Amino acid sequence: MTVPDKKWGSLPYWALLIFLTITFLTGGASRSDVQSLVILRPAAVLFLAYGLWNMQWQQAMSHRLVFILALGTVLVTLAHLVPLPPTIWEQLPGRELAAEISRLTLKEPVWRPISLVPPATWNAFYALMIPMAVLIMAIQLEREQKFSLLFVLMGFAIVTAVVGFGQSIAPGDPLYLYRITNEDSAVGLFANRNHQAVLLAMLIPMLAIYAATAADSVEKIRFRILLSIGGGMIIIPLILVTGSRAGLLVGAIGILSIPLLYRKHGNVKPPKRKAVKTDFRYFIGFGAVIALVLITILMARGQAFERMAESGNTEEFRFRMWQPVIQAAWTYFPIGSGAGTFVEVYQVHEPKDLLSIYYVNHAHNDFLEMLLTTGLPGVLLTFVGAAAYVRAAWAAFQSYKSRNREKLYARLGAVLIFMLMIASAADYPLRVPALVSIFVVAVVWLAYPKMDSSPNVTNARRSIERSET
């Protein structure tokens, strides 16, 4: 057995690229009534079916912990849809009001699922098809194909950045893809400014890995470093233009992660021509980047920057909302109210002083919303996932000076997951199909499988690692 060569034309690889493209073009919102879901979710089912049909057992076993957590999430969601007899259902915590309504409106008791809002739970189940499809197809990729996903994600981030730039200098309905959106902000391909800012922030550590990956000449190394620096200088003002405070925090994490991700290149070929003391091309390039940054700031709409200087009424409202969410969570603990039922359940427990003409679509803290809707099973899955993440991240950063690409990409995956976790503490990025797809890719990078026990494969891969270290 030999290590497989690069197979850029393999069906799983191109299937994943096509599906990721569909996801980023149609999956920039978290609402269940977005019209583009008519395209995205059937596509997810089809690509998931293809992935399952093409998957080999050893591929699943090499990522078994990831599969257990993913399957556990699906099973918990489906368990909330299993009908229970009235005598059992009425004994579940938090069902008193619904049970009383049933007694007053129905002639005889009926079997009911755990979920208080079954249609919302079915929607949550359908939403899981998207990350499951990405996971099933991603684990089937060869080594180089998994690495190439970095360029795919960077490409999508650049596209949404360009769209956001256009929205900042020429606002108008045609540039916004969703009817319910932040019309006063540069949201790019998303419906929410925070989600745009989070993706732009994640581009920073991606550029660090791009600059650190192997190049066979000094010229290519310099080009990658210059391009990464220039890209970072453009990203920062684009994050500011979104008007997202969460984006600033996650962006700061991305900047702080650069020393943990970037590694100097080892032995490379000397430059083809004699180096000169002053290369004016670099000065021209940096000048162009700085000019573009200044143009972005000057032409951006003032509302975004005014919002950055506001007193934070929105954040104060979210903090006040978390208390009734916690109280409601204990009302339904340990079973939960049902996956995806936050909107309707929160309306029952919403305090009068927080009432407004707008409904609250999420808890703006995914950990609290998970506690409310999935109860103890959700807490256990989160705990196991967090423990697995810490262990894998520790292993990735343990050999700090290693330039092995599996290690580099594992570190990138750890950083991206951490950034999404921080964003989830005040928002809901993983409920957006485009961002949860990036999360799955990051998980696959972090949880790279152990070496094959075959001597040929082991020796070949070790030789590759030595050449990259």
Side-chain angles (χ1 to χ4, degrees), residues 102-318:
S102 298
R103 284 192 291 268
L104 295 175
T105 57
L106 300 177
K107 294 182 179 179
E108 57 183 20
V110 297
W111 286 46
R112 293 178 178 273
I114 291 176
S115 173
L116 289 169
V117 191
T121 303
W122 276 113
N123 174 68
F125 171 72
Y126 297 143
L128 290 175
M129 297 299 100
I130 298 166
M132 288 298 295
V134 176
L135 175 63
I136 295 298
M137 290 186 288
I139 66 170
Q140 300 178 39
L141 302 186
E142 303 293 345
R143 179 178 186 264
E144 295 298 325
Q145 292 172 347
K146 289 180 181 178
F147 295 158
S148 73
L149 292 179
L150 172 65
F151 302 98
V152 176
L153 300 184
M154 288 174 60
F156 290 137
I158 292 172
V159 170
T160 192
V162 171
V163 174
F165 178 77
Q167 293 167 343
S168 66
I169 62 176
D173 290 341
L175 296 178
Y176 291 89
L177 302 183
Y178 300 95
R179 179 175 58 87
I180 299 179
T181 184
N182 299 127
E183 296 179 353
D184 61 339
S185 301
V187 297
L189 298 178
F190 294 92
N192 188 298
R193 61 168 68 91
N194 292 326
H195 303 152
Q196 166 81 344
V198 167
L199 179 54
L200 293 178
M202 289 194 292
L203 187 55
I204 297 174
M206 292 183 195
L207 287 172
I209 292 297
Y210 170 75
T213 47
D216 57 4
S217 67
V218 174
E219 290 87 351
K220 290 183 179 180
I221 292 174
R222 290 174 177 172
F223 173 77
R224 287 194 174 200
I225 294 175
L226 181 62
L227 186 62
S228 299
I229 294 175
M233 295 177 66
I234 295 174
I235 290 169
I236 294 174
L238 289 179
I239 294 175
L240 292 172
V241 169
T242 64
S244 170
R245 298 183 185 88
L248 279 182
L249 175 60
V250 179
I253 295 174
I255 294 174
L256 293 175
S257 72
I258 294 177
L260 301 176
L261 298 176
Y262 179 75
R263 291 291 176 273
K264 291 183 178 180
H265 293 264
N267 296 328
V268 294
K269 296 179 181 179
K272 296 180 180 179
R273 60 180 182 277
K274 186 177 180 180
V276 294
K277 294 183 179 180
T278 305
D279 192 338
F280 292 100
R281 293 179 302 170
Y282 294 119
F283 291 99
I284 295 174
F286 276 113
V289 169
I290 294 174
L292 181 58
V293 170
L294 293 176
I295 291 174
T296 303
I297 295 176
L298 292 175
M299 299 186 69
R301 284 173 289 170
Q303 293 92 327
F305 295 96
E306 291 175 3
R307 186 179 183 277
M308 299 297 296
E310 287 177 356
S311 60
N313 294 330
T314 302
E315 281 70 16
E316 181 183 355
F317 175 81
R318 292 177 182 176

